[in-house]
Amino acid sequence: MNFERKLKAYAAVFTISLKNSLAYKHDFVLMLVFFMLTYLVSIAVWLAVYHFAGATSIDGLSLYAMFAYFLVIAAVSTITAWPSIMEKVSKDLQGGGIMRSFIRPVGYIQQLFISSMPESIVLFLAAMLPITVIVIIVGHFSVSALTLLFFLVEVVLAWVLINLMGFIIGSSAVYLTNIYGVANTVQWIIGILGGAIVPLLFFPSWAYNLLMLTPFALSLYVPVGTVLGIIQTQIAVRSMLLDILWIGIFSAVSFFLWKRAEKKINAVGV
Amino acid sequence: MSNRFVKDARFFIATQKYKMLSLFAYRFQASLWFFVALMDVLNVLVTITVIYGVSSGIAGWSYAQMLALAGFSSTAFGILFFLMNPFNLIMAMRNGSADQLFTKPYNKIVMVFSKYGSFNLISLIFGGIALLVYGIMNTQFSILPLIASIFLFLLGTTAMLMFILFISLLSYVLFKSGSYINWLTGIIQNASQYPLFIYGSVFMVLLTVAAPIAIATFYPAELIFMKVSITTVAEVAAATMVMAYLFYKGSMYLFRFYTSGGG
């Protein structure tokens, strides 16, 4: 199949997924609102901590930066907290629906990634736009073009990383009856070691340095820290290279796991 | 009446035993689910530890006292989800499988608590109790306030259960959806792990009067550490009993709107 036809096929997958993700707008908006509300509790707690400490800065993080931190991490978490690919792979493997994918003119794994893109893009934009208004316009926060570019590249790399992790977890459905225990555990690990609960800056320096090498911090803390100026440019560049390294590692693991899973696939499910 | 109570209790125990055996059929998965349930406790432990590591924390509350408060909250919400996962209940009512609530010879509330809870959340209860015990043992406390606070906690948890049941049924009746009740409960749970005055007096009143969460979490913690007077506690307990009864009656009324066969 030539390149142009493949591209048209992928574009069709993208368009259908985009329409699906916007089918229930009311549900979509409410989900976003509740997701953001979760982080408002953290903001309120830290505002109280700063107030009672009588401090304008704790460990180099100002009150305003803390406020912006949780808002931006809420937006980034919409696409890096829970890989939607995972549920699809698990359902296809366990239900046998994967057989239909093999006869389609688009590769299964490519289809997975392309079909999960629209929802992620819409969620991220829907969360990021109001937060940008609040943080930049209301808070007079400024971001250079280079920082913004780094942030967007890091978010894209984080999305790929998280979905590769999701693919690995989803593929393990051939061995597990239910992947949600593993998935929720991984999600918690990403949250706590990625800085969604507490900024990694507050961890001991040895823990901070170690976590900055892991895919968890690269998925959440690094993009947020880059755009808010908490992370220096050279660390941001190093993190992007680490991202690429981790993507390579997870791609290799995914390939290996998928080859083993393919042997167990059948039309009635595993 | 005592026969009815014994019959309902036996049914509840039998269903919990069944759920436990079902969960442990796959041991690795069961262990993961128990760990997943403990995540809330671990999150709040890390957060409070970091807060008190980098600052003086919340005024009037020591590290151990904060852990005790978080312990009350985790235990209360652990009991809530152990007995009733709102999403499971509403989905059952949506697809019509809740018919058995009305056809079996047991109390409807007992049926709900027997069928629609998540057994693995028992680890959240134990985790909460561990936090609570650790917090109490590392502060000064007296026995009488401790006993009174446990009584207030049980009363508050009952009122909170009735409240969550009421809003779940209301969500079914008004929106035919339970998607957001679990989100909302999660947000309230997060909020209740910290002293409620940090959210302002409006929210504190809301979480005491409109939604009896404070009565299960904040006031028992305040009582143990003598941060609140006995008179206030007595008033709160009386109000709680009234609210629990009203939410119970409201829930019984809302059950009438259930449509068998799904919808």
Side-chain angles (χ1 to χ4, degrees):
Chain A
M1 191 182 188
N2 66 33
F3 180 72
E4 201 183 305
R5 282 176 69 185
K6 260 192 181 171
L7 210 55
K8 276 187 180 170
Y10 292 145
V13 169
F14 185 92
T15 310
I16 291 167
S17 301
L18 181 63
K19 286 181 181 175
N20 278 340
S21 60
L22 295 174
Y24 298 99
K25 294 183 183 63
H26 173 258
D27 272 8
F28 177 81
V29 169
L30 273 178
M31 181 184 73
L32 203 58
V33 166
F34 275 103
F35 192 80
M36 304 296 277
L37 276 177
T38 312
Y39 286 91
L40 280 185
V41 173
S42 300
I43 290 172
V45 170
W46 282 99
L47 283 178
V49 170
Y50 275 78
H51 169 73
F52 288 118
T56 52
S57 173
I58 294 177
D59 271 14
L61 210 57
S62 71
L63 174 61
Y64 180 74
M66 182 63 91
F67 175 72
Y69 176 89
F70 280 109
L71 284 181
V72 178
I73 216 163
V76 174
S77 295
T78 55
I79 60 170
T80 60
W82 183 260
S84 51
I85 272 179
M86 173 184 64
E87 291 178 60
K88 180 95 181 51
V89 174
S90 161
K91 220 195 256 186
D92 285 344
L93 284 173
Q94 291 186 331
I98 195 165
M99 299 311 287
R100 287 195 301 272
S101 306
F102 287 154
I103 60 173
R104 287 192 185 129
V106 287
Y108 177 65
I109 294 170
Q110 297 89 317
Q111 185 193 329
L112 276 177
F113 276 81
I114 291 171
S115 63
S116 71
M117 266 184 211
E119 188 181 5
S120 298
I121 292 170
V122 170
L123 267 174
F124 181 68
L125 287 176
M128 204 59 208
L129 285 172
I131 283 168
T132 308
V133 168
I134 294 168
V135 171
I136 292 180
I137 297 172
V138 174
H140 305 294
F141 189 76
S142 62
V143 176
S144 69
L146 185 66
T147 305
L148 196 59
L149 177 68
F150 280 176
F151 170 67
L152 291 171
V153 169
E154 282 166 354
V155 166
V156 168
L157 289 173
W159 180 85
V160 172
L161 197 57
I162 284 295
N163 279 287
L164 278 171
M165 268 196 248
F167 182 79
I168 291 169
I169 297 170
S171 303
S172 64
V174 292
Y175 304 108
L176 303 170
T177 50
N178 190 318
I179 60 156
Y180 288 99
V182 175
N184 276 292
T185 305
V186 170
Q187 187 192 18
W188 174 77
I189 290 171
I190 291 171
I192 203 158
L193 301 183
I197 310 297
V198 166
L200 296 187
L201 207 58
F202 292 156
F203 282 39
S205 54
W206 64 266
Y208 176 80
N209 292 331
L210 188 62
L211 287 172
M212 285 296 280
L213 300 174
T214 65
F216 316 119
L218 294 171
S219 303
L220 278 175
Y221 181 75
V222 167
V224 177
T226 302
V227 79
L228 294 179
I230 298 169
I231 290 176
Q232 296 158 349
T233 309
Q234 65 198 57
I235 306 287
V237 171
R238 188 197 75 177
S239 299
M240 281 189 270
L241 293 172
L242 264 172
D243 254 322
I244 293 167
L245 176 65
W246 278 109
I247 287 171
I249 294 171
F250 281 136
S251 299
V253 172
S254 303
F255 175 78
F256 173 71
L257 211 59
W258 187 246
K259 283 292 167 205
R260 288 179 69 101
E262 268 180 339
K263 293 175 186 168
K264 292 183 181 282
I265 288 170
N266 61 64
V268 295
V270 295
Chain B
M1 188 169 167
S2 61
N3 278 344
R4 176 80 189 256
F5 178 78
V6 168
K7 198 167 76 165
D8 288 343
R10 276 190 179 153
F11 177 74
F12 178 78
I13 291 166
T15 50
Q16 298 315 303
K17 192 176 171 188
Y18 170 76
K19 278 185 190 172
M20 183 181 71
L21 291 172
S22 300
L23 192 63
F24 280 105
Y26 301 99
R27 288 189 193 92
F28 173 67
Q29 200 156 277
S31 59
L32 274 180
W33 278 116
F34 282 120
F35 177 73
V36 161
L38 269 179
M39 282 191 256
D40 286 330
V41 172
L42 294 172
N43 279 346
V44 75
L45 178 61
V46 167
T47 306
I48 292 173
T49 305
V50 168
I51 286 173
Y52 281 81
V54 300
S55 71
S56 53
I58 307 288
W61 288 78
S62 69
Y63 174 66
Q65 289 174 343
M66 286 285 284
L67 287 184
L69 170 58
F72 269 120
S73 169
S74 299
T75 310
F77 281 89
I79 292 172
L80 166 69
F81 283 109
F82 174 77
L83 292 176
M84 184 190 70
N85 187 321
F87 181 76
N88 289 353
L89 170 64
I90 297 175
M91 284 315 291
M93 294 178 84
R94 283 286 314 272
N95 63 29
S97 62
D99 286 3
Q100 55 192 292
L101 288 179
F102 304 94
T103 55
K104 286 202 165 98
Y106 303 104
N107 180 279
K108 280 194 207 56
I109 303 286
V110 171
M111 289 284 301
V112 168
F113 290 168
S114 300
K115 189 131 176 66
Y116 301 113
S118 303
F119 189 85
N120 63 299
L121 269 295
I122 203 169
S123 63
L124 180 58
I125 298 173
F126 288 130
I129 290 172
L131 268 187
L132 178 61
V133 166
Y134 178 83
I136 292 172
M137 297 307 286
N138 283 279
T139 10
Q140 285 185 332
F141 69 96
S142 307
I143 293 293
L144 276 178
L146 176 64
I147 294 170
S149 74
I150 291 172
F151 171 74
L152 187 66
F153 166 78
L154 291 172
L155 199 59
T157 304
T158 308
M160 190 177 77
L161 269 165
M162 293 298 115
F163 167 70
I164 298 293
L165 176 62
F166 177 75
I167 61 167
S168 303
L169 291 171
L170 198 62
S171 175
Y172 165 76
V173 170
L174 295 177
F175 309 119
K176 290 287 188 273
S177 170
S179 308
Y180 308 107
I181 296 295
N182 279 33
W183 276 101
L184 185 64
T185 314
I187 291 167
I188 294 173
Q189 180 188 353
N190 272 343
S192 69
Q193 289 169 335
Y194 307 96
L196 296 183
F197 55 77
I198 67 173
Y199 307 115
S201 46
V202 170
F203 279 105
M204 190 157 163
V205 168
L206 269 174
L207 290 175
T208 305
V209 177
I213 312 296
I215 297 158
T217 58
F218 183 60
Y219 287 106
E222 283 216 308
L223 185 57
I224 284 186
F225 304 122
M226 300 302 288
K227 294 179 190 290
V228 69
S229 67
I230 296 292
T231 324
T232 309
V233 166
E235 287 168 3
V236 163
T240 306
M241 286 193 279
V242 170
M243 280 192 288
Y245 178 74
L246 287 174
F247 286 129
Y248 168 76
K249 279 296 186 189
S251 301
M252 291 295 109
Y253 173 72
L254 289 172
F255 270 125
R256 293 184 203 176
F257 291 90
Y258 170 66
T259 312
S260 179

